[in-house]
C-alpha cells in the first residue's frame, strides 16, 4: 500500500456532461503522508527537550513537520497514527488519526444502506474489531475508505444521492440507522474552538516575535540595562494581554454566531414523529418544518410544501426567496444546481406551507451537517482564510533576512573592535548579540499592520465591513473591477415599459399597460408565471415579479387551513396559490378572465435562464403550463412555427434601447395528469410563443459617476451580467463603460456540432454598408478610435473550449460579458487573474457568490455585516463603495510601506550609533535607549498611520514590492546620510578646544557620561524624528501630512523636546540620562544645525527619488518587458495591424495568433 495518498474534495457547480468520480478529480486535492509513532524516538525527543531546556519543543512548535519526522516513521495511510497534510496552497499541517469502535451489527446494516462506500469504511481490522478511522481538518471530517485507499471527506458518502434517493428518505430513519450515521458524520455542530487563556498564552508567548523579545530582555538584564529591560517587558506583557483578550473575544463572537442548537421534529421509519436536538441530525433525516418556520440548523432538500426563506445572512440577498419542492428524478442532487429547492443552514425560514398534514408546514431531508453546510462554509472561510499571495507580505520576510545579514556584519565588526579593546569574553558575547537585537526590529511585522487597522476602522465607519484585513492592502493594487448589472449598476426595481403579443402571424401592437391587455393566455401568463407569495397578507418576492403582477391588476390568494376548499374548487388539484382578476377589469366574466390556480412551480434558475408554472381553471377544466425567461431560451423551447419571424429584430431593437426583455410561452396539458410529480423537462418543451414583456431598468445615479472616476484613474471596468447582450451594451453606454465615440465589437463563437465546425467571428455593432464597414475597419486598425468587445455566455464557453489561444486577447479588450451563468462569472475572474490582473468584483451576493470569493477583492452590496459571499460587505446599496475601498487600500499600502521603511531606518540609526560608540570604547545609557525606543519611535509609529486617503483616485497605483530600486535605494541613501550625520557630530565634538578624550582603560557604560555619546545621542534623536517626516508619503494616495493633526503636533512636541535636551537639558536630566553637560552654546546650536542639514538633504533626496531619479540606473540595464502578462499582451495587440479580424470567420485550426510567453 502506498505511503502517500490524496484527499480529494468533491466538486460543486453545474453537472458535467460526462460522469466522473469526484474522488479521482485532479483539480483540488491535498497531499497526505502517513506516519506511525516510534517509541524509542519519542523518548529520545523527550530527553533532548529536557537537555535543551525546552528549546527543542519550541522548534517543534514552529516546525510541526520536524516534530513528526523526529518522532515517527513513514507508513501506509491505512496504518497511520499521524498524518502530514500539504494543502492546495502548499502549507503543511499535522493531524492525528482518530479511531472509534463501531457496533458489531453495524456491518450488516451498512451493507444494506451503501454497499460500495460504508462497508469499506469499517472493514479495516475486521478480524479484530470494527473500527472507524478518521481525522478532523479545518472542521471537516475525513474518513478512511479502504476501497479507495485514501481518506475522503465524509460527505462523499452522500454526494452521489439522486433526487429519487432523497424522496426515499421521506419515510424517515430508524434509531439504529441514525445512531450509526451520527458516528460516521459526527455531531451537527459548527463548533468554533475557544481556547483557554493558558493555551492562548503559551501559543502567543511562543510566537517568534515574543521569543526574540524574551531573548533580548534576558540579554539586556545580563548587560545591566535593567530599566530598559523592565519597560520592554511590561510593554510586552500588556501587548500579550491585549492580544489574548482580542483573540478570545473574536473567537467567542464567532462561536456565538456559528454555534446554534435547537430542537426539531423528525420523522422515524415507523411513521412516528420525534422532537430531537439539532445536534443529533444526520444526512438522511426527514425533518418536519412548522408553518411559522424556524432558523434552520442544517442544509436540507425541500420535498413537500413551499418555504419562504430569508437568505441575507449567507448571500446578502435582502429579498426573501420562495423555495419549492425538489423534482423527483434520476439526476444527482447538487445544492448548487438545485438551489431553489435547497434550504441552507443559518437561513431564516419565515413561512412554510402546503407540505404537512392539514396543508401547513413542509417536509425536507437533511443533506449536509456541521461544517459541510453553507453556514459552515462561511465560518470556515473566516476561521481559515485563503492565504493572500501578495508581494508586499512576501518581500517583508525577505527584507528581514537582509537586516539579519546587516546584523551579522555588525556582529563581526563589534567582535573585532571589542577584541582589540581587550574586552572580556563575557562582554564580547553580550555586546555582539546585542547588535542583533538592535539591527533586526522585532516589532516590524506588528508595525506594518497599523495602516490596515486604521483603514479597517475608517471603512467600518462608512458602512463597509471586512472579514479579511490583509485584503485591504490588495485593494490598492486592483487593476480591473467587474460589476454585476441588475441591482449593482442598475436599480433593483423595474418599471413595466410595455408588452407585445406575438405568434405565427407576427407581433401585435405594443400595449404600454398590462391592464389594457384583452383576456387571454398572455394576460394569464403574466399574472401567474411568478413565485410571489403572501406574508401576513402582503405580497413578497422578486421586485421584477412584484411589479409584473401589480401591473396586471390581479390579486393573489393562498390556501387557508388544510386548503381543501380551494383544492375542491379547482378540480381536486393541490393548489399553491390562486390568481384572481379584479372585477372592474373584466365586468363580463369571460372564460379566459376567471380565477386561475397555480398547482406547480419550477422556480427561476440562473443556469437555466427561465421559470415555469402549471395552472388550472375552476373545476380543473383547463390545464396550462406557462414559461417565462430570457427570450433566446424561451424561443428555443417553443415550436418553431409559433415564433414570429421578426423575433430577432424586435428583440434587438428593444434590447439596444436598454430594456429588460422577457419572453412568455404556454402549452395546454392533460388535465388528468398528476401535476405534483410532473417533471420540469416534460413541462418546458414544445411550448407556444406568447409574446414579449419589456421592463425599464434604470441605471443608479451613482453608477456613471463611479465608472468615470475609475476611468480617469485608468482602472478598467467590466460588466458581467445574466441579461441580454444588447441590453448590457446599452447599460454599459449609459453608465460610461463604453464612451460615445467608442465602437462595440461582438464576439461570436460557436461550438462543434454535427453540422458545423467551431467558428469565431468579430462583428461591428452597427452593420452598415460594406464600404462603411471597410472605412471603420481601416480606422480601427490605424488606431483611429478605441473599441470594446462584447461576448455572451455561450460564446464565452465556446471560446474557452475551442479557441483558448484567442481567449487572453478577448479578455484584454472585452468590457461586456452577457448571459453569464454563476459558474462562468467565477471562471471569468480566474481567467483574468491568469493574465496577472488584480481583480475586483462587485455584486449583490446572490448569483455572484463564486465570483466574489474568487476575486482578489470581492464586495457584496448587502445589509449583513459578514456574508459567505465576499471578504467585503457594503451597506451602501450602490457602487460608490468601490472607489472608497480602492482609495483606502492605496492609503493602507502606502502607510504600510512608510511604517516598514521607518522601522527599518530606526533600527539602522540605532545600529550605526551603537557601532560608532563601540568603536570609541563607549556605549549608550539605559535611559537613552528608553527615550529613543519608547518616547520617540513607538509613539511616532503608532500615530504615523492615522492619515486618511486622498479624496481623488490617481492614475498610478502604489508599488507593492519592498525590494524595488526606489525602496532599497532610498533606504541605502538615507543610511549613508545617517552615518555621515552621526560621524559629523562625533568629529565636530572631538575637534573642539574643550574636548576631553575618553578614559582608554575602561569600556562601555563605565565611560558614561562622555562628550562622544552625548553628541551622537543628540543627533540620532533628531534623526528618528527626521525619518518619520521623510518616509511619510502624502500625495497622490494619502492626504498631506498636515491633515494628520495628531502626528503633526507630536512631531513639533518631540522636536522641541530634543532641542531642549541638546540646548539646555539641566542637571537633573543630565544625571539620569547620563549626558555630558556641555556649556558651549555655539556648539549646541551647531549640533541642531547639523540635524537640520541632515533633514534637508534626506528630504530633497526623497523628493528626487519620488520624481524617479533612480530610474537612470534602469537605463543602464536596458528596457525590460513587464512581468505582467496583460501589459505585454497589450503592447503586442497595439502593434498588431490586423487585430481584431473583423468580418472574418476563424476556425479552431487557425493559429495565426499572438502568443504571450
Amino acid at each position: 500500500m502506498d505511503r502517500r495518498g490524496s484527499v480529494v474534495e468533491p466538486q460543486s457547480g453545474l453537472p458535467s456532461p460526462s460522469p466522473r468520480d469526484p474522488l479521482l478529480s485532479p483539480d483540488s486535492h491535498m497531499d497526505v503522508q502517513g506516519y506511525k509513532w516510534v517509541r524509542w524516538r519519542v523518548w529520545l525527543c523527550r530527553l533532548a527537550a529536557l537537555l535543551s531546556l525546552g528549546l527543542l519543543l519550541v522548534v517543534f512548535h514552529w516546525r510541526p513537520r520536524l516534530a513528526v519526522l523526529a518522532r515517527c516513521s513513514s507508513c501506509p495511510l491505512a496504518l497511520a497514527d499521524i498524518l502530514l497534510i500539504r494543502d492546495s496552497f502548499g502549507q503543511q499541517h499535522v493531524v492525528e488519526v482518530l479511531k472509534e469502535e463501531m457496533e458489531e451489527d453495524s456491518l450488516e446494516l451498512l451493507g444494506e444502506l451503501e454497499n460500495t462506500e460504508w462497508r469499506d469504511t469499517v472493514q479495516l481490522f475486521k478480524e479484530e474489531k470494527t473500527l472507524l478511522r478518521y481525522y478532523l481538518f479545518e472542521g471537516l471530517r475525513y474518513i478512511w475508505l479502504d476501497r479507495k485507499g485514501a481518506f475522503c471527506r465524509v460527505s462523499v458518502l452522500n454526494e452521489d444521492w439522486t433526487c429519487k434517493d432523497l424522496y426515499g428518505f421521506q419515510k424517515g430513519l430508524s434509531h439504529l440507522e441514525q445512531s450509526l450515521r451520527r458516528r460516521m458524520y459526527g455531531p451537527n455542530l459548527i463548533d468554533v474552538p475557544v481556547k483557554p487563556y493558558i493555551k492562548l498564552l503559551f501559543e502567543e508567548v511562543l510566537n517568534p516575535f515574543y521569543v526574540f523579545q524574551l531573548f533580548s530582555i534576558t540579554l539586556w538584564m545580563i548587560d545591566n540595562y535593567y530599566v530598559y529591560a523592565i519597560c520592554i517587558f511590561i510593554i510586552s506583557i500588556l501587548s500579550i494581554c491585549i492580544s489574548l483578550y482580542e483573540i478570545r473575544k473574536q473567537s467567542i463572537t464567532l462561536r456565538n454566531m456559528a454555534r446554534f442548537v435547537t430542537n426539531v421534529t423528525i420523522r422515524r421509519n415507523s411513521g412516528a414523529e420525534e422532537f430531537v436536538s439539532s445536534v443529533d441530525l444526520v444526512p438522511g433525516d426527514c425533518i418536519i418544518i412548522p408553518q411559522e418556520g424556524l432558523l434552520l440548523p442544517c442544509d436540507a432538500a425541500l420535498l413537500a410544501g413551499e418555504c419562504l426563506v430569508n437568505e441575507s445572512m449567507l448571500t446578502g440577498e435582502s429579498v426573501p426567496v420562495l423555495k419549492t419542492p425538489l423534482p423527483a428524478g434520476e439526476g444527482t442532487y447538487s445544492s448548487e444546481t438545485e438551489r431553489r429547492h435547497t434550504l441552507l443552514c443559518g437561513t431564516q425560514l419565515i413561512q412554510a406551507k402546503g407540505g404537512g398534514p392539514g396543508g401547513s408546514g413542509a417536509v425536507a431531508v437533511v443533506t449536509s451537517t456541521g461544517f459541510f453546510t453553507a453556514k459552515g462554509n462561511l465560518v470556515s472561510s473566516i476561521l481559515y482564510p485563503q492565504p493572500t499571495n501578495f508581494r508586499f507580505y512576501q518581500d517583508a520576510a525577505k527584507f528581514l533576512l537582509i537586516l539579519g545579514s546587516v546584523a551579522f556584519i555588525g556582529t563581526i565588526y563589534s567582535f573585532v573592535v571589542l577584541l582589540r579593546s581587550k574586552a572580556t569574553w563575557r562582554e564580547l558575547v553580550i555586546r555582539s548579540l546585542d547588535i542583533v537585537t538592535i539591527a533586526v526590529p522585532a516589532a516590524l511585522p506588528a508595525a506594518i499592520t497599523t495602516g490596515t487597522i486604521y483603514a479597517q476602522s475608517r471603512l467600518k465607519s462608512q458602512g463597509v465591513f471586512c472579514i479579511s484585513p490583509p485584503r485591504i492592502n490588495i485593494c490598492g493594487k486592483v487593476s480591473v473591477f467587474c460589476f454585476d448589472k441588475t441591482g449593482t449598476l442598475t436599480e433593483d426595481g423595474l418599471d413595466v415599459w410595455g408588452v407585445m403579443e406575438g405568434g405565427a402571424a407576427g407581433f401585435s401592437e405594443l400595449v404600454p399597460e398590462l391592464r389594457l391587455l384583452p383576456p387571454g393566455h398572455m394576460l394569464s401568463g403574466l399574472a401567474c408565471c411568478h413565485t410571489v407569495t403572501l406574508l401576513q397578507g402582503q405580497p413578497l418576492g422578486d421586485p421584477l415579479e412584484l411589479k409584473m403582477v401589480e401591473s396586471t391588476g390581479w390579486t393573489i390568494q393562498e390556501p387557508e387551513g388544510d386548503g381543501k376548499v380551494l383544492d375542491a374548487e379547482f378540480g381536486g388539484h393541490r393548489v399553491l396559490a390562486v390568481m384572481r382578476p379584479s372585477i372592474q377589469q373584466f365586468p363580463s366574466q369571460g372564460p379566459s378572465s376567471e380565477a386561475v390556480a397555480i398547482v406547480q412551480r419550477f422556480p427561476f434558475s440562473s443556469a437555466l435562464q427561465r421559470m415555469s408554472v402549471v395552472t388550472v381553471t375552476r373545476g380543473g377544466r383547463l390545464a396550462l403550463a406557462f414559461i417565462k425567461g430570457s427570450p433566446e431560451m424561451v424561443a428555443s423551447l417553443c415550436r418553431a412555427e409559433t415564433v414570429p419571424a421578426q423575433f430577432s429584430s424586435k428583440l434587438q431593437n428593444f434590447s439596444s434601447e436598454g430594456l429588460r426583455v422577457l419572453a412568455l410561452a404556454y402549452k395546454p396539458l392533460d388535465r388528468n395528469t398528476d401535476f405534483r410529480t410532473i417533471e420540469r423537462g416534460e413541462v418546458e418543451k414544445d411550448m407556444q410563443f406568447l409574446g414579449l414583456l419589456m421592463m425599464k431598468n434604470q441605471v443608479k445615479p451613482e453608477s456613471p459617476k463611479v465608472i468615470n472616476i475609475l476611468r480617469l484613474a485608468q482602472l478598467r471596468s467590466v460588466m458581467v451580467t445574466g441579461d441580454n447582450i444588447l441590453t448590457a451594451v446599452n447599460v454599459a453606454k449609459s453608465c460610461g463603460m463604453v464612451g460615445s465615440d467608442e465602437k462595440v465589437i461582438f464576439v461570436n463563437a460557436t461550438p462543434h456540432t454535427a453540422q458545423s465546425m467551431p467558428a469565431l467571428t468579430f462583428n461591428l455593432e452597427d452593420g452598415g454598408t460594406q464600404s462603411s464597414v471597410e472605412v471603420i475597419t481601416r480606422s480601427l486598425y490605424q488606431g483611429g478610435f478605441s473599441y470594446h468587445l462584447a461576448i455572451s455566455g455561450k460564446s464565452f464557453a465556446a471560446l474557452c473550449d475551442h479557441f483558448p489561444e484567442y481567449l487572453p486577447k478577448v479578455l484584454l479588450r472585452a468590457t461586456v460579458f452577457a448571459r453569464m451563468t454563476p459558474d462562468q462569472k467565477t471562471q471569468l475572474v480566474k481567467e483574468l487573474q491568469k493574465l496577472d490582473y488584480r481583480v475586483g468584483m462587485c455584486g449583490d451576493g446572490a448569483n455572484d457568490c463564486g465570483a466574489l470569493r474568487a476575486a482578489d477583492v470581492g464586495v457584496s452590496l448587502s445589509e449583513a455585516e459578514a456574508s459567505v459571499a465576499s471578504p467585503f460587505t457594503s451597506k451602501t446599496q450602490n457602487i460608490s463603495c468601490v472607489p472608497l475601498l480602492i482609495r483606502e487600500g492605496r492609503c493602507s499600502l502606502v502607510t504600510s510601506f512608510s511604517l516598514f521603511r521607518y522601522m527599518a531606518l530606526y533600527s539602522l540609526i540605532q545600529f550605526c550609533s551603537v557601532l560608532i560608540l563601540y568603536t570609541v570604547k563607549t556605549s549608550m545609557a539605559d535611559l537613552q535607549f528608553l527615550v529613543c525606543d519608547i518616547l520617540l519611535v513607538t509613539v511616532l509609529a503608532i500615530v504615523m498611520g492615522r492619515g486618511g486617503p486622498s479624496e481623488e483616485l490617481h492614475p498610478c497605483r502604489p508599488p507593492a514590492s519592498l525590494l524595488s530600486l526606489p525602496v532599497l535605494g532610498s533606504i541605502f541613501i538615507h543610511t549613508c546620510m545617517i552615518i555621515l550625520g552621526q560621524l559629523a557630530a562625533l568629529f565636530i565634538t572631538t575637534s573642539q578646544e574643550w574636548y576631553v578624550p575618553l578614559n582608554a582603560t575602561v569600556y562601555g557604560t563605565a565611560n558614561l557620561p562622555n562628550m562622544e555619546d552625548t553628541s551622537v545621542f543628540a543627533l540620532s534623536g533628531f534623526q528618528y524624528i527626521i525619518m518619520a517626516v521623510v518616509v511619510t508619503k502624502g500625495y497622490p494616495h494619502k492626504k498631506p501630512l498636515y491633515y494628520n493633526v495628531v502626528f503633526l503636533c507630536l512631531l513639533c512636541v518631540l522636536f522641541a523636546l530634543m532641542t531642549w535636551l541638546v540646548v539646555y537639558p539641566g542637571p537633573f536630566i543630565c544625571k539620569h540620562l547620563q549626558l555630558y553637560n556641555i556649556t558651549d552654546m555655539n556648539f549646541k546650536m551647531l549640533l541642531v544645525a547639523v540635524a537640520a542639514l541632515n533633514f534637508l538633504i534626506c528630504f530633497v533626496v526623497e523628493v528626487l527619488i519620488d520624481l524617479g531619479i533612480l530610474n537612470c540606473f534602469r537605463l543602464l540595464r536596458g528596457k525590460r518587458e513587464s512581468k505582467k502578462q496583460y501589459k505585454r499582451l497589450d503592447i503586442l495587440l497595439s502593434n498588431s495591424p490586423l487585430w481584431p479580424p473583423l468580418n472574418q470567420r476563424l476556425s479552431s485550426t487557425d493559429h495565426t495568433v499572438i502568443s504571450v510567453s
Side-chain angles (χ1 to χ4, degrees):
M1 191 180 285
D2 194 2
R3 296 172 191 277
R4 296 170 73 92
S6 66
V7 177
V8 187
E9 302 178 9
Q11 304 298 303
S12 64
L14 293 172
S16 176
S18 59
R20 60 176 183 174
D21 187 350
L23 282 166
L24 307 177
S25 169
D27 342 87
S28 166
H29 71 280
M30 299 187 296
D31 183 51
V32 182
Q33 291 173 272
Y35 291 88
K36 203 167 184 64
W37 293 115
V38 178
R39 191 169 295 176
W40 67 267
R41 287 192 184 185
V42 173
W43 281 105
L44 197 64
C45 286
R46 286 175 181 170
L47 181 64
L50 196 66
L51 294 174
S52 65
L53 301 177
L55 188 63
L56 184 68
L57 296 178
V58 174
V59 174
F60 283 170
H61 176 76
W62 289 344
R63 291 284 179 269
R65 184 172 181 270
L66 292 179
V68 173
L69 296 176
R71 296 165 172 169
C72 307
S73 64
S74 184
C75 72
L77 286 178
L79 305 172
D81 298 318
I82 295 290
L83 297 177
L84 192 60
I85 298 173
R86 183 189 292 274
D87 63 22
S88 52
F89 305 110
Q91 296 181 332
Q92 291 193 323
H93 310 267
V94 175
V95 295
E96 184 182 356
V97 176
L98 305 170
K99 303 178 185 73
E100 191 170 330
E101 193 172 344
M102 306 290 283
E103 291 86 352
E104 286 302 319
D105 57 348
S106 61
L107 279 173
E108 289 72 22
L109 178 63
L110 288 170
E112 291 170 20
L113 290 172
E114 294 282 350
N115 199 33
T116 55
E117 303 293 356
W118 296 72
R119 183 183 292 276
D120 297 331
T121 310
V122 293
Q123 276 189 333
L124 190 66
F125 307 124
K126 182 185 172 185
E127 63 281 359
E128 297 170 19
K129 52 188 172 182
T130 308
L131 277 182
L132 169 69
R133 297 168 58 78
Y134 67 95
Y135 69 88
L136 299 172
F137 178 64
E138 294 186 348
L140 302 177
R141 181 179 281 228
Y142 294 79
I143 60 172
W144 175 257
L145 293 180
D146 200 34
R147 184 171 66 85
K148 304 285 184 185
F151 282 96
C152 304
R153 282 185 172 196
V154 71
S155 59
V156 77
L157 300 175
N158 57 283
E159 69 178 10
D160 291 330
W161 284 353
T162 63
C163 299
K164 189 177 178 183
D165 292 335
L166 290 172
Y167 272 94
F169 289 118
Q170 202 168 358
K171 64 181 186 296
L173 301 175
S174 68
H175 283 280
L176 187 58
E177 282 175 311
Q178 198 203 37
S179 170
L180 182 57
R181 286 172 189 258
R182 196 157 59 246
R183 290 281 188 91
M184 304 293 289
Y185 287 96
N188 176 32
L189 272 180
I190 303 170
D191 209 8
V192 176
V194 178
K195 296 173 185 173
Y197 275 115
I198 192 72
K199 188 175 181 180
L200 281 173
L201 179 64
F202 273 107
E203 288 182 0
E204 194 70 14
V205 167
L206 292 179
N207 183 306
F209 163 68
Y210 287 115
V211 170
F212 187 74
Q213 286 283 51
L214 186 65
F215 163 74
S216 304
I217 289 166
T218 307
L219 196 68
W220 297 327
M221 292 291 279
I222 294 169
D223 202 22
N224 300 328
Y225 284 108
Y226 296 120
V227 177
Y228 182 69
I230 289 166
C231 284
I232 297 297
F233 178 75
I234 291 168
I235 289 169
S236 298
I237 291 294
L238 285 172
S239 174
I240 288 171
C241 291
I242 292 166
S243 179
L244 294 187
Y245 173 74
E246 285 298 323
I247 291 170
R248 192 170 162 87
K249 181 185 170 186
Q250 287 172 10
S251 297
I252 290 170
T253 303
L254 190 57
R255 184 182 65 176
N256 293 341
M257 182 193 91
R259 190 182 173 94
F260 174 68
V261 179
T262 186
N263 291 322
V264 291
T265 305
I266 63 168
R267 184 181 289 162
R268 292 290 183 205
N269 64 348
S270 60
E273 293 182 359
E274 276 185 26
F275 209 47
V276 298
S277 170
S278 59
V279 177
D280 297 329
L281 290 176
V282 293
D285 263 330
C286 180
I287 56 176
I288 311 298
I289 299 165
Q291 184 175 0
E292 64 277 8
L294 78 160
L295 189 62
L296 204 65
C298 59
D299 282 1
L302 186 60
L303 301 185
E306 293 184 331
C307 291
L308 193 62
V309 187
N310 180 357
E311 293 186 336
S312 60
M313 185 266 181
L314 291 180
T315 64
E317 180 62 70
S318 56
V319 178
V321 184
L322 184 70
K323 303 282 180 146
T324 58
L326 181 74
E330 295 294 337
T332 303
Y333 169 80
S334 162
S335 61
E336 287 295 318
T337 53
E338 307 293 352
R339 194 173 182 84
R340 281 289 190 163
H341 314 293
T342 302
L343 307 172
L344 301 175
C345 178
T347 58
Q348 179 68 54
L349 274 60
I350 303 170
Q351 179 179 277
K353 58 188 178 184
S360 63
V363 177
V365 163
V366 178
T367 54
S368 299
T369 55
F371 275 94
F372 290 99
T373 61
K375 184 180 177 182
N377 193 13
L378 166 63
V379 175
S380 185
S381 68
I382 299 171
L383 269 178
Y384 314 104
Q386 181 179 327
T388 48
N389 180 26
F390 193 45
R391 193 169 180 181
F392 175 74
Y393 300 120
Q394 295 165 355
D395 286 357
K398 293 175 186 174
F399 197 87
L400 278 175
L401 292 176
I402 294 173
L403 288 176
S405 305
V406 172
F408 181 69
I409 294 165
T411 302
I412 293 170
Y413 175 79
S414 62
F415 189 84
V416 172
V417 167
L418 292 167
L419 198 62
R420 291 178 65 183
S421 303
K422 295 184 173 54
T424 63
W425 277 100
R426 179 177 178 272
E427 280 208 330
L428 273 172
V429 173
I430 291 171
R431 294 289 169 204
S432 300
L433 289 175
D434 194 34
I435 291 294
V436 178
T437 68
I438 291 167
V440 182
L444 188 61
I448 59 175
T449 61
T450 309
T452 308
I453 292 165
Y454 281 125
Q456 187 178 8
S457 174
R458 287 193 298 266
L459 284 170
K460 190 174 181 180
S461 68
Q462 298 191 62
V464 180
F465 299 92
C466 174
I467 61 171
S468 180
R471 287 186 186 260
I472 293 175
N473 277 348
I474 299 176
C475 293
K477 292 297 288 181
V478 167
S479 45
V480 58
F481 228 101
C482 303
F483 295 95
D484 178 37
K485 183 179 76 72
T486 310
T488 304
L489 291 170
T490 62
E491 300 286 357
D492 265 326
L494 296 99
D495 296 317
V496 173
W497 190 80
V499 67
M500 189 177 272
E501 292 189 76
F507 282 102
S508 64
E509 289 296 313
L510 180 78
V511 179
E513 287 281 339
L514 268 57
R515 295 168 189 262
L516 302 177
L517 277 172
H521 295 317
M522 185 66 181
L523 184 60
S524 298
L526 290 166
C528 299
C529 201
H530 57 78
T531 53
V532 173
T533 186
L534 292 177
L535 179 65
Q536 297 173 349
Q538 294 300 312
L540 210 60
D542 183 273
L544 181 150
E545 294 184 335
L546 283 170
K547 183 64 74 173
M548 181 182 77
V549 173
E550 180 192 328
S551 300
T552 62
W554 290 40
T555 55
I556 185 170
Q557 177 192 352
E558 292 190 339
E560 294 177 0
D562 59 9
K564 287 182 180 177
V565 176
L566 279 179
D567 291 355
E569 184 184 345
F570 291 92
H573 295 286
R574 185 177 65 88
V575 173
L576 302 176
V578 175
M579 300 303 300
R580 299 185 187 276
S582 62
I583 303 299
Q584 295 81 7
Q585 200 171 351
F586 306 114
S588 57
Q589 289 284 311
S592 298
S593 61
E594 61 184 6
V596 178
I598 302 168
V599 294
Q600 180 60 284
R601 284 191 184 108
F602 298 104
F604 176 78
S605 160
S606 299
L608 299 176
Q609 299 178 3
R610 62 184 184 269
M611 72 151 296
S612 56
V613 295
V614 178
T615 66
V616 294
T617 55
R618 275 204 179 93
R621 294 192 308 275
L622 181 63
L624 294 174
F626 292 99
I627 184 171
K628 174 180 99 251
S630 74
E632 303 94 331
M633 179 57 71
V634 171
S636 70
L637 297 170
C638 290
R639 299 209 308 270
E641 68 273 13
T642 68
V643 181
Q646 311 94 328
F647 170 78
S648 296
S649 59
K650 288 287 184 187
L651 176 60
Q652 186 171 352
N653 291 340
F654 290 133
S655 297
S656 44
E657 289 177 30
L659 296 171
R660 177 83 180 270
V661 186
L662 297 172
L664 284 93
Y666 85 104
K667 77 171 181 184
L669 294 172
D670 181 1
R671 63 181 185 176
N672 297 318
T673 308
D674 183 357
F675 297 126
R676 285 178 298 182
T677 58
I678 193 169
E679 292 191 6
R680 186 168 192 159
E682 183 65 30
V683 173
E684 296 174 348
K685 68 176 185 181
D686 300 329
M687 307 294 286
Q688 297 178 39
F689 191 81
L690 273 175
L692 299 174
L693 169 68
M694 281 69 70
M695 304 191 88
K696 188 71 177 173
N697 195 198
Q698 298 291 340
V699 172
K700 290 180 181 177
E702 299 84 5
S703 296
K705 297 174 189 172
V706 171
I707 298 299
N708 187 49
I709 290 169
L710 297 180
R711 194 164 189 161
L712 292 173
Q714 294 179 13
L715 284 167
R716 188 176 154 204
S717 300
V718 170
M719 185 193 297
V720 193
T721 178
D723 210 339
N724 179 279
I725 193 165
L726 294 171
T727 306
V729 167
N730 182 278
V731 172
K733 289 177 178 178
S734 301
C735 65
M737 281 188 184
V738 176
S740 56
D741 57 338
E742 296 174 324
K743 296 291 180 184
V744 175
I745 298 170
F746 292 104
V747 182
N748 296 306
T750 53
H752 187 280
T753 63
Q755 292 79 27
S756 63
M757 295 296 288
L760 177 64
T761 57
F762 294 83
N763 303 310
L764 274 166
E765 179 184 15
D766 303 312
T769 63
Q770 183 66 28
S771 59
S772 67
V773 170
E774 286 174 6
V775 170
I776 290 169
T777 305
R778 201 178 310 117
S779 65
L780 176 71
Y781 292 154
Q782 292 168 358
F785 58 78
S786 57
Y787 64 93
H788 297 264
L789 301 181
I791 187 169
S792 67
K794 282 184 179 178
S795 293
F796 180 73
L799 188 70
C800 293
D801 292 340
H802 302 290
F803 302 91
E805 65 273 21
Y806 285 97
L807 181 62
K809 294 188 291 177
V810 171
L811 292 177
L812 194 74
R813 295 284 188 258
T815 300
V816 176
F817 293 84
R819 290 284 186 240
M820 297 285 277
T821 64
D823 278 8
Q824 285 178 323
K825 291 180 181 182
T826 307
Q827 186 184 357
L828 171 64
V829 167
K830 291 179 177 177
E831 292 295 340
L832 286 168
Q833 287 169 333
K834 286 178 187 176
L835 292 177
D836 299 324
Y837 278 110
R838 284 284 175 192
V839 184
M841 174 76 196
C842 183
D844 56 15
N847 296 322
D848 316 309
C849 283
L852 287 165
R853 295 190 63 186
D856 297 290
V857 177
V859 192
S860 172
L861 305 182
S862 164
E863 289 295 322
E865 285 196 15
S867 78
V868 74
S870 60
F872 296 94
T873 308
S874 171
K875 286 196 171 185
T876 309
Q877 296 300 300
N878 58 63
I879 62 170
S880 59
C881 60
V882 170
L884 167 69
L885 201 54
I886 296 171
R887 286 191 292 110
E888 284 290 2
R890 290 181 175 186
C891 174
S892 173
L893 189 56
V894 167
T895 302
S896 298
F897 259 77
S898 298
L899 281 162
F900 191 97
R901 292 169 63 211
Y902 182 62
M903 294 304 289
L905 286 166
Y906 139 67
S907 294
L908 291 168
I909 291 168
Q910 202 165 83
F911 177 74
C912 295
S913 303
V914 170
L915 286 186
I916 288 169
L917 294 175
Y918 276 8
T919 308
V920 295
K921 298 186 177 182
T922 186
S923 181
M924 284 173 66
D926 194 354
L927 285 176
Q928 287 175 10
F929 277 117
L930 200 65
V931 168
C932 294
D933 288 2
I934 308 300
L935 194 62
L936 297 177
V937 175
T938 304
V939 177
L940 282 170
I942 288 170
V943 298
M944 191 188 286
R946 282 179 59 90
S950 172
E951 295 298 330
E952 294 181 358
L953 267 181
H954 199 266
C956 73
R957 292 191 297 277
S961 174
L962 285 166
L963 304 182
S964 61
L965 183 64
V967 176
L968 293 179
S970 162
I971 289 175
F972 176 74
I973 294 169
H974 290 322
T975 305
C976 293
M977 293 301 106
I978 286 162
I979 295 168
L980 289 173
Q982 292 184 11
L983 287 174
L986 180 68
F987 292 141
I988 289 169
T989 306
T990 56
S991 64
Q992 298 300 314
E993 294 175 359
W994 39 258
Y995 169 68
V996 179
L998 278 167
N999 183 356
T1001 59
V1002 293
Y1003 183 84
T1005 50
N1007 255 331
L1008 292 173
N1010 59 64
M1011 297 178 184
E1012 290 88 338
D1013 167 63
T1014 302
S1015 59
V1016 170
F1017 166 74
L1019 200 80
S1020 66
F1022 279 117
Q1023 285 175 337
Y1024 294 124
I1025 303 167
I1026 289 165
M1027 288 306 152
V1029 178
V1030 168
V1031 302
T1032 300
K1033 300 287 183 187
Y1035 180 83
H1037 304 301
K1038 278 185 74 173
K1039 286 179 180 175
L1041 180 68
Y1042 50 80
Y1043 276 93
N1044 190 349
V1045 179
V1046 177
F1047 182 52
L1048 195 64
C1049 292
L1050 189 66
L1051 284 172
C1052 296
V1053 168
L1054 292 177
F1055 181 76
L1057 179 70
M1058 278 310 302
T1059 306
W1060 171 62
L1061 283 176
V1062 172
V1063 176
Y1064 185 72
F1068 178 80
I1069 296 295
C1070 282
K1071 180 186 174 184
H1072 286 87
L1073 286 182
Q1074 292 182 276
L1075 296 172
Y1076 193 92
N1077 190 13
I1078 299 170
T1079 55
D1080 187 345
M1081 186 56 70
N1082 291 333
F1083 168 77
K1084 292 177 181 180
M1085 295 312 293
L1086 185 60
L1087 271 183
V1088 176
V1090 169
L1093 182 64
N1094 196 335
F1095 168 68
L1096 185 65
I1097 293 170
C1098 287
F1099 189 80
V1100 170
V1101 164
E1102 189 67 23
V1103 170
L1104 291 173
I1105 289 170
D1106 284 345
L1107 292 172
I1109 195 168
L1110 292 180
N1111 290 338
C1112 60
F1113 290 103
R1114 288 178 176 164
L1115 298 175
L1116 299 175
R1117 73 179 187 194
K1119 193 172 182 180
R1120 288 186 183 179
E1121 276 192 330
S1122 171
K1123 291 180 181 177
K1124 296 192 181 297
Q1125 258 201 73
Y1126 75 88
K1127 288 186 178 178
R1128 299 204 307 271
L1129 185 57
D1130 188 41
I1131 293 166
L1132 286 166
L1133 287 187
S1134 300
N1135 297 329
S1136 171
L1138 296 174
W1139 177 262
L1142 290 179
N1143 304 322
Q1144 297 177 35
R1145 185 181 172 86
L1146 305 173
S1147 68
S1148 58
T1149 54
D1150 290 340
H1151 292 293
T1152 52
V1153 296
I1154 298 168
S1155 62
V1156 181
S1157 57

